[in-house]
Amino acid sequence: MDFSHTDKVRELQQRVADFMDEYVYPAEPAAHAELEKNRRAGNPWQPLKVVEDLKEKAKAHKLWNLFLPESAHGAGLTNLEYAPLCEIMGRSALAPEAFNCSAPDTGNMEVLARYATPSQQRQWLEPLLEGRIRSAFAMTEPGVASSDATNISASIVRDGDSYLINGRKWWTSGAGDPRCEILIFMGKTSPEAARHSQQSMILVPMKTPGVKVLRTLTVFGYDHAPHGHGEVDFVNVRVPAENLLLGEGRGFEIAQGRLGPGRIHHCMRLIGVAERALESLCQRAQSRVAFGKRVSEQGVTLERIAESRIAIDQARWLVLNAAYMMDTVGNRAAKQEIAMIKVAAPNMACKVIDWAMQVHGGGGVSDDFHLAAAYASARTLRFADGPDEVHREQIAKLELARYRPKKVDVH
């Protein structure tokens, strides 16, 4: 396996890093100030002009839609080529949207690129690729343990030339954003079918009668405005039958196609989050004196710096290996590698950020630094794309399968 970057990727790395230095990092205080101003005016969900300006700059620099492997709509990068770029973007909460590479739009664009009809692509994929609208993915439900997606109880019932949708979803990220115009909704079309053939996915325009955002949810007190996470009610929502993606009972098939690259993007970004946290840890430790010497000279701090570097590099190589496997043997064959990074990357990031917060003392849990918000986001990723426990179980079962006794033909 050769994980060395090509000249094309090294050039893109430099361009993305330069863009971050010149535009993104300097924009962070302005974005925070604009959001607080919007809060005082009673409208925290208004899109930030600072970010919209960054998006126009990214387009002008041709650093736009760098994801979408194997698609005419993207930059033509493989997962392995995109990984180091996504890592750089992960260093700032503003960057993924600035480059039009943010969730859940990336996953939804992958679904539309793979499974939507040409008409659906013109209506929804093209404006998403242009950054003119945003989208949401409605899957998790408050009434069931959604870590087992077969529990999902929302209904999608055929009624003539349309489908009638009923159910309640939550953690529908982006549903409160006024730019959100399309939802990908997962529900049951065939409750009596085989366990993994009951679910389907369907396109639901946000303005369809019966769609109601009940509230926005907080993550450790953060509302993540102006994007946010919504609890959404669907009451007798009627959409045309042609809005169904791929066909009845194929929801899990679509989910697997969506969650492969989407899962790895989160892990790539977490490497960048952890790198920035380690930088903050080192800078703070060298600038503070406690008990007669710099904090950076204390044994426990040195140990944590060393352990952070080891953990980050371990996670990075696991992520690169998963990306390589996805590119070479496909998402299905790489399912163990994908599951491994889903456990390793968030846990690593939480640990490194926690150590950085500890060195910052009381400031570490405040909003004076980026660490508290980074920790809140990283912690959610231990269950956002499937909880650690589910991934660990899958990893263990795949490992045990290697040691099953071979059947002996007694005849």
Side-chain angles (χ1 to χ4, degrees):
M1 302 175 195
D2 183 4
F3 294 153
S4 61
H5 302 310
T6 63
D7 290 341
K8 175 178 71 172
V9 173
R10 281 194 290 269
E11 188 258 342
L12 279 169
Q13 277 182 290
Q14 190 62 56
R15 287 171 55 199
V16 172
D18 289 346
F19 189 94
M20 296 283 288
D21 288 339
E22 186 172 357
Y23 300 111
V24 177
Y25 301 131
E28 289 176 338
H32 180 74
E34 184 181 351
L35 178 58
E36 290 309 305
K37 180 180 178 182
N38 292 345
R39 287 189 196 285
R40 290 193 296 272
N43 187 17
W45 306 105
Q46 179 179 329
L48 298 178
K49 184 179 183 302
V50 171
V51 177
E52 294 303 306
D53 289 344
L54 287 174
K55 289 160 75 170
E56 292 306 313
K57 288 183 173 70
K59 287 181 185 178
H61 283 71
K62 294 183 170 48
L63 296 172
W64 190 254
N65 291 336
L66 296 173
F67 69 106
L68 274 177
E70 300 176 4
S71 171
H73 303 289
L77 301 174
T78 65
N79 287 295
L80 185 58
E81 289 173 327
Y82 180 58
L85 310 179
C86 197
E87 175 183 328
I88 298 169
M89 295 177 201
R91 293 172 59 86
S92 172
L94 304 183
E97 184 180 353
F99 295 105
N100 209 37
C101 293
S102 59
D105 293 330
T106 48
N108 290 343
M109 284 188 267
E110 287 170 12
V111 168
L112 292 169
R114 293 184 185 195
Y115 308 115
T117 65
S119 174
Q120 291 167 343
Q121 289 178 351
R122 285 192 297 272
Q123 186 174 8
W124 305 116
L125 178 58
E126 290 180 8
L128 280 168
L129 287 165
E130 293 166 5
R132 291 190 282 113
I133 67 171
R134 297 210 65 181
S135 62
F137 187 66
M139 180 175 175
T140 307
E141 298 179 6
V144 298
S146 299
S147 56
D148 178 359
T150 62
N151 284 337
I152 288 172
S153 60
S155 64
I156 306 172
V157 178
R158 184 69 183 252
D159 183 25
D161 60 355
S162 61
Y163 281 97
L164 204 60
I165 298 168
N166 283 280
R168 182 170 295 187
K169 302 289 186 177
W170 72 343
W171 297 108
T172 303
S173 299
D177 190 322
R179 298 165 296 178
C180 181
E181 294 194 15
I182 187 68
L183 293 152
I184 296 179
F185 180 98
M186 188 167 181
K188 284 187 177 178
T189 47
S190 309
E192 305 306 318
R195 192 161 177 255
H196 289 90
S197 299
Q198 299 176 8
Q199 311 282 350
S200 300
M201 289 194 190
I202 194 165
L203 297 173
V204 181
M206 196 70 190
K207 296 176 183 177
T208 307
V211 178
K212 183 179 180 181
V213 178
L214 301 177
R215 60 172 176 151
T216 53
L217 303 160
T218 60
V219 179
F220 290 110
Y222 292 96
D223 61 12
H224 288 170
H227 188 55
H229 316 278
E231 182 170 356
V232 189
D233 214 11
F234 297 81
V235 180
N236 295 326
V237 176
R238 187 179 296 274
V239 298
E242 58 264 27
N243 282 27
L244 194 74
L245 292 169
L246 206 56
E248 289 193 7
R250 302 184 73 176
F252 273 91
E253 180 182 344
I254 297 170
Q256 289 307 307
R258 181 187 192 277
L259 289 178
R263 284 172 175 170
I264 202 167
H265 292 175
H266 281 314
C267 296
M268 293 167 180
R269 283 190 287 265
L270 282 169
I271 307 297
V273 171
E275 283 285 9
R276 193 172 183 187
L278 180 55
E279 288 177 12
S280 297
L281 190 165
C282 292
Q283 290 166 355
R284 183 78 167 185
Q286 289 179 309
S287 68
R288 293 300 226 231
V289 174
F291 305 105
K293 59 182 178 181
R294 293 183 188 276
V295 174
S296 61
E297 296 170 349
Q298 307 284 351
V300 67
T301 305
L302 291 168
E303 181 179 349
R304 287 174 177 174
I305 290 170
E307 290 295 329
S308 295
R309 172 46 58 209
I310 293 167
I312 291 171
D313 284 2
Q314 285 176 331
R316 177 183 289 111
W317 290 114
L318 278 175
V319 169
L320 291 175
N321 182 58
Y324 171 82
M325 293 287 287
M326 291 168 68
D327 291 335
T328 54
V329 298
N331 296 356
R332 182 177 294 275
K335 57 186 177 183
Q336 186 172 25
E337 287 75 15
I338 294 172
M340 286 164 62
I341 64 171
K342 280 301 297 177
V343 174
N347 279 278
M348 174 279 298
C350 284
K351 180 187 289 185
V352 173
I353 297 167
D354 183 73
W355 283 339
M357 290 166 65
Q358 195 72 10
V359 167
H360 282 71
V365 295
S366 76
D367 281 340
D368 287 1
F369 301 93
H370 63 96
L371 297 168
Y375 184 89
S377 295
R379 181 60 182 82
T380 66
L381 292 176
R382 288 184 55 201
F383 50 75
D385 284 333
D388 288 359
E389 294 81 358
V390 172
H391 294 303
R392 285 192 172 101
E393 182 175 344
Q394 182 184 38
I395 294 164
K397 287 180 177 178
L398 290 168
E399 192 66 20
L400 284 169
R402 298 170 56 195
Y403 301 96
R404 284 182 187 148
K406 293 181 180 179
K407 291 183 180 179
V408 179
D409 188 352
V410 294
H411 300 291

